[in-house]
Amino acid sequence: RQDKRNMEGVGLALTPHARTAMRYHQAVSSRVLAAEFLTKVGPLLIVVAYAPTDQDCTEVKDQFYSDLDRVMSNGNGLAMVMGDFNASVSERMKRVVGPHGLGRCTSDNGERLVSFASANGMCISNTFFPHK
């Protein structure tokens, strides 16, 4: 950035043991990081993400989810996606969204997150547990 402000970025903190199990890591963009680890049950893809906000333009959101889709299509085992999706999810969806969504209504980012999770056979885990 020309203004030298740090506005985006993702990272992954690892123990020494986890570092030795890491096969590769890739900064896909300033918002998406992928790392693959060799585990006892096979490869595990960890994806760390920082989604654009609801106020960001459609093109930025489309690029973010395109990057996520590309990473997921290259995975060859178990996958875990974590991060800040700047999403509000309220409507329950079997096996994807649990009974404890945090929003009064589902935002555009929430719809995109639900669609991504559904397409990849994942759940939005923080919707399955009550919050304080």
Side-chain angles (χ1 to χ4, degrees):
R1 293 179 49 117
Q2 291 180 345
D3 63 7
K4 306 291 187 221
R5 291 180 59 202
N6 295 321
M7 299 288 289
E8 302 165 353
V10 291
L12 186 60
L14 301 174
T15 65
H17 180 71
R19 188 168 173 82
T20 63
M22 185 169 59
R23 295 171 66 181
Y24 76 86
H25 69 280
Q26 176 187 10
V28 177
S29 71
S30 63
R31 294 182 174 277
V32 178
L33 173 87
E36 186 176 87
F37 298 85
L38 187 57
T39 72
K40 292 178 182 178
V41 296
L44 170 64
L45 176 66
I46 301 286
V47 181
V48 184
Y50 173 48
T53 66
D54 266 320
Q55 291 74 32
D56 281 313
C57 68
T58 300
E59 292 79 18
V60 171
K61 294 178 188 183
D62 289 346
Q63 182 62 54
F64 170 75
Y65 278 98
S66 175
D67 290 343
L68 279 181
D69 288 337
R70 189 169 19 119
V71 167
M72 295 303 291
S73 68
N74 291 331
N76 60 2
L78 297 173
M80 182 183 302
V81 181
M82 62 185 87
D84 183 350
F85 286 86
N86 287 307
S88 178
V89 178
S90 62
E91 297 175 27
R92 190 170 185 174
M93 181 182 208
K94 189 174 184 179
R95 295 191 177 121
V96 178
V97 180
H100 302 285
L102 297 177
R104 292 185 182 167
C105 65
T106 300
S107 65
D108 176 57
N109 279 354
E111 290 175 9
R112 290 170 182 266
L113 177 58
V114 169
S115 177
F116 170 78
S118 179
N120 288 284
M122 299 182 137
C123 71
I124 303 170
S125 59
N126 72 337
T127 66
F128 284 86
F129 305 97
H131 302 268
K132 290 184 178 182

